[in-house]
Amino acid sequence: MATAPGGYAERAARLPGAVVWAKAPPAGGAGAGLVLPDGCMDLLWSEGRLLVAGPDTRAYAPGGPPAHWAGLRFFPGTAPACLGVPAHEVRDRRVDLADLWPAPAVRRLRARLEAARDPAAVLEEVALERAERAGGPDPLLRHLVAALDAGRPVAATADELGLGARRLHRRSLAAFGYGPKTLARVLRMQRALALARGGVPFAQTAVRAGYADQAHLSRDVRALCGRTPGELLRLGG
């Protein structure tokens, strides 16, 4: 996987539902764009730093000078079992991996990454190794993501899964970093932006994504991202 200057590239990972990605500095040294909430967590490598990006409840604006990045983006709800940290402990945070893993393990991974031609592939290998030891994520949570991403109501989904509201909320906090209602909002926003990027008018996008109307779409996207849908599309988000 290669990126052009200022470019971004990704591919499906061997870890189910995950994505391996790499990003080069933007042309002309411009700052990186917004990172929008998507229900995911990432394992990141950049300029000698190993980080875990927790689940976002609002858009994140990366700071610092332009840099090369490599990452593995986990399917929603699957990172905590692999990384060994409950999602709510890293919500809206970028945390040094050394604060979460034993120092020897981090040193070994850093050495592998510094010697690698494709750091993203190393992150993928490490995630696969840890996922195998962890035994995989809770299958009920994968069903929850699928149901909410299809627009199913939270209460009805909880009933279908045989979980009470409080139990579902506790498990969601550990897996996603927030409750199922927030997860549903984030997934709905991502559905809407995908439709809008594909050229669907905003009024139709709102209905198809599950909003009451276009005004509801605009309010919710602004609440999560600080921008309207139109502004995000112009920014390339």
Side-chain angles (χ1 to χ4, degrees):
M1 179 177 60
T3 58
Y8 170 87
E10 66 176 37
R11 63 169 172 82
R14 288 175 287 159
L15 189 68
V19 172
V20 176
W21 59 271
K23 183 174 177 59
L34 289 175
V35 178
L36 306 184
D38 58 5
C40 300
M41 292 172 57
D42 288 60
L43 180 60
L44 306 171
W45 168 253
S46 178
E47 311 293 337
R49 295 188 68 196
L50 271 165
L51 303 168
V52 169
D56 293 319
T57 61
R58 56 186 180 271
Y60 173 77
H68 286 84
W69 289 86
L72 183 130
R73 181 173 303 114
F74 292 86
F75 185 81
T78 63
C82 184
L83 299 180
V85 59
H88 63 83
E89 292 188 7
V90 292
R91 180 178 58 231
D92 293 318
R93 299 172 61 198
R94 271 59 182 165
V95 179
D96 282 323
L97 190 62
D99 293 335
L100 305 175
W101 289 10
V106 176
R107 284 198 298 270
R108 288 194 296 270
L109 177 53
R110 182 176 287 113
R112 288 174 64 181
L113 287 161
E114 288 174 346
R117 296 183 61 183
D118 184 359
V122 174
L123 297 178
E124 179 184 25
E125 291 169 6
V126 170
L128 284 165
E129 293 163 5
R130 292 185 64 90
E132 184 176 358
R133 292 198 298 269
D138 186 339
L140 285 179
L141 295 175
R142 185 173 286 270
H143 292 313
L144 173 64
V145 173
L148 296 181
D149 199 27
R152 295 282 294 152
V154 171
T157 300
D159 289 342
E160 292 166 4
L161 296 176
L163 298 174
R166 290 184 180 179
R167 188 179 173 201
L168 177 60
H169 190 80
R170 287 195 301 271
R171 291 172 74 165
S172 294
L173 281 179
F176 308 110
Y178 34 64
K181 290 185 178 179
T182 298
L183 176 63
R185 285 182 65 204
V186 168
L187 295 176
R188 181 177 60 182
M189 181 195 71
Q190 287 290 340
R191 291 197 305 275
L193 292 176
L195 289 168
R197 292 187 194 106
V200 178
F202 287 129
Q204 294 180 31
T205 286
V207 173
R208 289 173 58 179
Y211 293 91
D213 51 30
Q214 185 175 338
H216 182 203
L217 163 67
S218 185
R219 287 195 306 272
D220 208 48
V221 171
R222 182 181 285 277
L224 288 168
C225 300
R227 303 283 196 282
T228 66
E231 289 169 337
L232 287 177
L233 262 61
R234 288 192 290 274
L235 290 171

